[in-house]
Amino acid sequence: LFRSGTVWNTNSNVTINSNPQTSNGYHAPSYTFTQVNTLSPQTEYWAAGIATNTNGTGISPIDSFFTYSNPPTSAASAFTATTISNSEIDLAWTAATYPGSGATDHGYIILRRQDGNNPTASGVVNGVAPSSLVLAGGTTLDATINSGSTVSYNDISLLALTQYNYMIIPFTWDGINTATYNYLTPGAPTANATTLPGPPAVILPTVTAITNTTATLGATISGTGGTTVTGYGKIGRAHV
C-alpha cells in the first residue's frame, strides 16, 4: 500500500509539496486526479505525478499545459447569406456575446461547403488554432475573423451558379497561446446562397463578307446550340 497523486504549480518550480492531491492505494499502470474549480482560465500550469511508500516519495518529470479561455456566452444569431454577383456572397450576423473576464481576445470562424449540405462542427475542438483544425470531409475553413464585434464578411472569388452553405462559430483565446482557444459550437447558425450565372462564353470568332470598307463579324455563344451573333462595322480601306 502506498500514497499516489499529483502536484502542480503556476511556474516550473514543482515539488512534492506543490498543491498535492493524493490518495492511498495501488494505481496501475496509470492514475488521474481531476482538479475541480481550482484552476484559472487561459493560464499555464506545470504538473507532475508523485507516489510515496515507506522508502520515500518519487516525483515524475514535470509537464505543462494551458487551460482554455472562458468560452463565448452565446452564439451569433440572425445569420444571413446574400448573393451579390457570380463570384461574391456577403454574410451578415448579430454578434455573439463574450465573457467579461478570462478571455482576452475573441472572434469567429466561418465554415463553408459547396455540395448543397450545411457544414458540420465536427472537428472543431478546443485548444487548437483555426488553421490547424481537422474538419469533416467537405467542410472547409472559409475565414477566421479576429474581432468579436465584426458582424459581416464578404466571400469573394467564388464559382458562378454554385450554392454555398455556411456556419459561423464564435471563439475566445488569450491572443498568444493557441492552446487556449475555446469554441462555442452548440447553436451555431447556418445560412446559404447561390451565386449568379457568369457572363456568356463566346467562342469561334468569324469574319466574312470582307470588302475594302466593311466586314461581317460573328461568333458562337457556347452552350446555346450554336447560336451565332453577327455584327457589322467599317474597318477602313485595308483588307482583313
Side-chain angles (χ1 to χ4, degrees):
L1 185 67
F2 58 86
R3 181 178 294 272
S4 59
T6 58
V7 287
W8 58 268
N9 205 347
T10 54
N11 58 58
S12 59
N13 182 26
V14 178
T15 71
I16 61 174
N17 297 313
S18 301
N19 303 294
Q21 182 171 237
T22 60
S23 68
N24 291 321
Y26 175 71
H27 302 276
S30 62
Y31 59 88
T32 59
F33 289 89
T34 301
Q35 301 289 332
V36 180
N37 298 324
T38 58
L39 305 182
S40 299
Q42 59 179 33
T43 302
E44 187 172 14
Y45 289 91
W46 285 259
I50 57 173
T52 301
N53 62 15
T54 56
N55 297 313
T57 299
I59 185 170
S60 75
I62 299 169
D63 197 6
S64 67
F65 65 94
F66 280 91
T67 51
Y68 304 144
S69 296
N70 283 334
T73 53
S74 74
S77 59
F79 187 38
T80 61
T82 302
T83 300
I84 301 301
S85 70
N86 65 326
S87 62
E88 179 177 344
I89 293 174
D90 288 357
L91 306 178
W93 60 90
T94 299
T97 56
Y98 298 92
S101 62
T104 305
D105 283 344
H106 41 67
Y108 305 91
I109 57 171
I110 296 176
L111 308 183
R112 188 178 76 187
R113 292 181 72 105
Q114 59 190 78
D115 59 1
N117 298 308
N118 284 327
T120 172
S122 176
V124 179
V125 296
N126 296 332
V128 179
S131 60
S132 297
L133 293 171
V134 181
L135 301 172
T139 296
T140 60
L141 177 66
D142 187 34
T144 300
I145 298 174
N146 291 306
S147 172
S149 61
T150 298
V151 292
S152 64
Y153 173 72
N154 300 332
D155 197 17
I156 61 175
S157 300
L158 304 178
L159 299 176
L161 202 61
T162 302
Q163 179 174 314
Y164 290 89
N165 292 53
Y166 300 90
M167 174 182 285
I168 186 167
I169 297 173
F171 64 78
T172 56
W173 72 308
D174 70 356
I176 300 173
N177 301 287
T178 60
T180 64
Y181 269 95
N182 200 345
Y183 302 91
L184 182 66
T185 56
T190 60
N192 70 82
T194 300
T195 50
L196 296 175
V202 185
I203 61 174
L204 300 176
T206 60
V207 181
T208 58
I210 300 170
T211 73
N212 65 317
T213 59
T214 63
T216 299
L217 310 180
T220 299
I221 301 173
S222 177
T224 62
T227 300
T228 300
V229 179
T230 59
Y232 302 90
K234 292 183 178 180
I235 57 174
R237 294 187 178 278
H239 288 281
V240 176

